[in-house]
Amino acid sequence: MKRGAKSQARSRLIVVSNRLPFAFKRGPGGNWIAEPGSGGLVTALLPVLRNRGGTWIGWPGSAGSTREFAPALTSAGSAAGYDLVAVPLDEAEVREFYHGFSNEVIWPLFHDLTSLCNFDPAYWRTYTKVNRKYAAAVAARADRGDFVWVHDYHLMNVGGDMRALATQARLGFFLHIPFPSPDVFLKLPWRKQVIRALLQYDLVGFQAARDRRNFIACIEALGEEARVEGRGTVVTVTTARGETRVGSFPISIDYNAFMRAAATAEVDEKARELHTLLPGRKLVLGIDRLDYTKGITLRLQAFQDLLVRHPDMRGKVSLIQVVVPSREDIPEYNRMKTEIEQLVGRINGEFARPGGWVPVWYEYRSLTRLELLAYYRAADIALITPLKDGMNLVAKEYCACSIEEDCVLILSEFAGAAEQLRIGALLVNPHDIEGVAEAIRTAHSMPQDERLARMRAMRRSIRRQDVFWWVDSFLRAAIARDLSDFPAPEAQAPQPPSNQLPF
Ligand code: G6P
């Protein structure tokens, strides 16, 4: 019988995300070829999808019909060990659902950047239409007892749309980006619809306690009678619409895989090469997707401020700033790229000396995995200063790759990762230019004992709560009879991950 057939007795996992975990490219004959994506989510979910049988439903990322993608999906799915289902989007849908509502409304709003929001009613209409399309694709494949796990802000309505289709499956949702406080969220013209849609899930997961608190505050601010039970990281919220579990589950990385890969001779050699190219100084690293939430221009201003106010630092540090191209069709992103490049030019123009030290080494491209690991290993200081971030996995990857533990993480207090990494990171307010400059100076002169102790504490925590722990906690929270397994963080004992659907 075909894997995933309706009559299958075991409950399966159905993952739904905006993009499928494969990048689709045209082959030489014009046919589509699927190449595995590099995201951590697929690594984490793979063991469960393979053990229990499962399906991943999402957009292939390019315009094309279901029929055109079918052969590539079938062969990629049989190699991967789970089924792949494409939800094709036409050009108008990509424009108004993906670029429009998802990335010009929810993305800026949920990162507290209301002035960048374009509350175009047409965007909302297309968002609801596309979410219904995803829900129909899921409902056609979900059986009673299956667990449907919907990911991220593109698909908040899918749970409610599936209920409207009378689904019998259990429904979970995880938001990878922050959830804003009521004073920001209430600006959304469709605020009630979004809150009600989220309350249709059996479990709603957030990255941080901050986001979980904001969500509950927004329910109350909208005048919904809500009873909150529990004091741990997962609570039960009961409204007139029913019961929803609401929890925080900090996403993570495959710690062991990063650590092992970073320890290879190849990476070691490439990291040494970087120090040879940029000799006699400490390397400060910033790696970000091109995005206005990442605080790149403020970070460059902080680095400039360091060099202006502390001339003794000139020649002693270089900033390697890697910007990975992203969402290039959105005008705001292009404007930002120009601003970053002008600022890099200004700093280098002011301080660089011919044949000598260059303060900022700037790269606008995607790094290969080898390069990424080598940059992490070579960096003496990581400077990660988003204005707001759901989690920020660069911070965790940097720690995992720092196998000598002799380095420093400077981290924005507004990154979700700060809740966990405050035990070892130098926390900064990314808007405080002089404060960030001082943190670089502190990191530069930090005694070795302190560097080692801080990095060791963070690495221990990330190793314990890796991405497999994350999957396991979310799935357990969905089915646990009671929530005593999810105590407040200070009382938490490490749980061995099972990588199995626990039902
Ligand atoms: C963030 C979102 C993801 C998204 C990624 C890349 O991390 O939480 O859902 O996939 O950015 O953005 P893109 O628009 O290229 O999918």
Side-chain angles (χ1 to χ4, degrees):
M1 187 190 300
K2 186 182 170 297
R3 184 162 31 86
K6 275 254 175 187
S7 56
Q8 189 168 343
R10 291 178 93 194
S11 56
R12 300 159 311 152
L13 176 64
I14 301 181
V15 179
V16 193
S17 62
N18 175 46
R19 286 180 192 277
L20 282 170
F22 285 85
F24 289 80
K25 295 199 173 130
R26 289 265 190 207
N31 54 324
W32 288 103
I33 298 172
E35 287 177 359
S38 55
L41 191 58
V42 60
T43 319
L45 292 170
L46 206 56
V48 186
L49 285 165
R50 282 193 178 149
N51 287 348
R52 304 291 306 206
T55 303
W56 197 311
I57 299 177
W59 173 49
S62 321
S65 68
T66 317
R67 199 153 35 82
E68 282 177 74
F69 286 113
L73 286 170
T74 310
S75 65
S78 59
Y82 56 91
D83 292 337
L84 288 167
V85 175
V87 180
L89 300 179
D90 65 31
E91 271 176 33
E93 288 170 336
V94 171
R95 197 171 55 244
E96 297 189 339
F97 153 75
Y98 169 65
H99 292 307
F101 196 75
S102 302
N103 287 322
E104 281 182 44
V105 179
I106 298 297
W107 179 268
L109 185 76
F110 282 25
H111 287 88
D112 298 349
L113 296 164
T114 17
S115 62
L116 297 180
C117 293
N118 178 2
F119 295 119
D120 185 338
Y123 288 175
W124 168 250
R125 278 193 289 276
T126 308
Y127 183 81
T128 58
K129 182 180 133 213
V130 171
N131 270 242
R132 281 197 298 274
K133 192 163 162 176
Y134 273 84
V138 184
R141 285 154 186 96
D143 275 339
R144 173 195 289 274
D146 286 347
F147 186 73
V148 176
W149 189 354
V150 180
H151 289 265
D152 231 352
Y153 59 103
H154 319 84
L155 302 175
M156 293 184 287
N157 284 1
V158 166
D161 294 337
M162 287 191 66
R163 298 266 183 239
L165 295 170
T167 186
Q168 298 287 312
R170 279 168 288 180
L171 306 175
F173 176 82
F174 186 79
L175 185 71
H176 290 251
I177 66 173
F179 196 89
S181 60
D183 54 335
V184 173
F185 182 75
L186 293 191
K187 301 204 165 75
L188 180 69
W190 308 280
R191 57 202 186 178
K192 280 202 171 150
Q193 290 94 316
V194 168
I195 287 285
R196 286 177 185 165
L198 289 171
L199 286 171
Q200 298 282 326
Y201 289 95
D202 297 303
L203 170 65
V204 178
F206 296 99
Q207 297 275 25
R210 149 198 89 180
D211 309 311
R212 188 189 63 214
R213 279 194 300 269
N214 284 344
F215 177 64
I216 293 172
C218 287
I219 298 173
E220 287 162 351
L222 283 169
E224 293 271 350
E225 283 285 329
R227 196 174 74 241
V228 180
E229 283 165 283
R231 307 170 65 87
T233 56
V234 186
V235 298
T236 305
V237 178
T238 310
T239 64
R241 275 154 241 290
E243 220 177 67
T244 301
R245 289 182 175 182
V246 179
S248 45
F249 308 89
I251 199 169
S252 193
I253 55 165
D254 184 348
Y255 176 90
N256 287 323
F258 269 96
M259 190 194 62
R260 273 196 298 267
T264 58
E266 242 184 326
V267 171
D268 193 63
E269 193 186 313
K270 197 129 189 91
R272 279 173 207 279
E273 226 173 72
L274 261 176
H275 275 289
T276 315
L277 281 169
L278 303 166
R281 72 198 81 168
K282 290 208 169 181
L283 300 181
V284 182
L285 177 67
I287 299 190
D288 308 86
R289 220 168 31 75
L290 178 68
D291 201 292
Y292 47 74
T293 61
K294 301 294 182 186
I296 306 172
T297 44
L298 279 169
R299 182 184 315 159
L300 287 165
Q301 286 170 28
F303 192 69
Q304 181 178 35
D305 178 73
L306 172 82
L307 302 177
V308 170
R309 286 191 304 113
H310 298 292
D312 60 305
M313 295 298 288
R314 297 178 197 166
K316 288 194 188 153
V317 282
S318 277
L319 172 66
I320 303 179
Q321 178 61 56
V322 179
V323 177
V324 177
S326 169
R327 302 183 194 162
E328 284 164 307
D329 295 335
I330 301 177
E332 191 56 34
Y333 286 69
N334 268 310
R335 198 196 52 70
M336 209 191 104
K337 177 171 179 274
T338 310
E339 197 185 332
I340 292 169
E341 288 170 0
Q342 284 172 347
L343 199 45
V344 170
R346 230 176 296 144
I347 300 171
N348 284 343
E350 190 175 345
F351 297 104
R353 294 290 169 264
W357 166 70
V358 175
V360 185
W361 168 307
Y362 167 75
E363 298 184 46
Y364 178 69
R365 64 186 179 99
S366 299
L367 299 180
T368 63
R369 189 156 172 91
L370 172 64
E371 287 170 326
L372 177 72
L373 297 169
Y375 279 41
Y376 284 150
R377 270 206 65 188
D380 303 284
I381 299 167
L383 186 56
I384 301 174
T385 56
L387 307 181
K388 193 158 185 188
D389 214 330
M391 178 53 54
N392 197 297
L393 292 180
V394 170
K396 293 189 175 181
E397 291 174 4
Y398 175 67
C399 293
C401 292
S402 297
I403 50 181
E404 278 101 9
E405 301 186 326
D406 190 9
C407 53
V408 184
L409 170 66
I410 301 176
L411 180 63
S412 163
E413 59 191 81
F414 306 120
E419 280 186 13
Q420 183 180 359
L421 301 184
R422 60 187 335 121
I423 49 172
L426 292 180
L427 290 191
V428 292
N429 170 1
H431 299 277
D432 177 4
I433 290 172
E434 293 188 349
V436 174
E438 290 312 315
I440 302 172
R441 203 168 144 77
T442 305
H444 185 270
S445 61
M446 187 182 283
Q448 191 186 38
D449 292 359
E450 187 179 343
R451 294 198 294 264
L452 293 172
R454 284 172 175 269
M455 190 46 74
R456 195 162 298 150
M458 291 189 286
R459 281 165 56 85
R460 205 177 303 128
S461 169
I462 302 166
R463 189 178 62 223
R464 205 171 50 219
Q465 300 194 337
D466 66 3
V467 77
F468 302 107
W469 168 90
W470 172 76
V471 170
D472 197 62
S473 332
F474 186 88
L475 295 177
R476 278 191 302 111
I479 52 108
R481 237 177 256 287
D482 70 82
L483 297 173
S484 55
D485 250 12
F486 297 90
E490 59 277 9
Q492 254 175 46
Q495 291 280 343
S498 65
N499 296 337
Q500 302 269 333
L501 265 188
F503 49 82

